[in-house]
Amino acid sequence: MRLEEKIYDLIKETVEDLGYKIVKIEIGGKKKKEVVIYIDNEIQRIGINDCVRVSRAIDPILENSDLIKESWTLIVSSPKRK
């Protein structure tokens, strides 16, 4: 199972309980790993407060899971619009 899938399984319920859905998870970064979680909902566009709310809820879950061994940064964002 890929790391993105493991992260998804770990945080899905928490994100959904807050009223959001996970659109995509990306792992990237050069010097420091970045875990980017894209969220959305059916009611309104995602704003900074939504991203902060989800970030604060899932950061401790990811920290305590020890899935990512090296240093990393969590980024929660709205989906990329076309």
Side-chain angles (χ1 to χ4, degrees):
M1 183 181 289
R2 294 178 36 222
L3 181 56
E4 292 89 346
E5 293 166 333
K6 291 178 183 178
I7 291 171
Y8 179 87
D9 290 344
L10 191 65
I11 64 172
K12 178 182 184 287
E13 185 175 337
T14 300
V15 172
E16 288 178 352
D17 285 349
L18 293 171
Y20 306 96
K21 65 179 180 178
I22 299 169
V23 175
K24 186 176 184 179
I25 298 175
E26 293 179 340
I27 310 284
K30 293 184 175 139
K31 292 184 179 183
K32 187 174 188 178
K33 190 168 288 238
E34 293 179 345
V35 178
V36 185
I37 314 288
Y38 295 99
I39 60 167
D40 206 353
N41 68 26
E42 310 228 343
I43 301 168
Q44 63 191 27
R45 291 191 116 174
I46 299 297
I48 188 71
N49 291 334
D50 300 299
C51 296
V52 169
R53 184 174 181 221
V54 171
S55 179
R56 287 182 178 157
I58 65 174
D59 185 64
I61 296 169
L62 292 172
E63 284 284 346
N64 292 330
S65 74
D66 206 29
L67 280 177
I68 307 165
K69 303 300 181 198
E70 60 269 13
S71 180
W72 57 278
T73 300
L74 174 63
I75 300 168
V76 177
S77 180
S78 61
K80 297 175 183 174
R81 305 276 182 203
K82 294 181 180 178

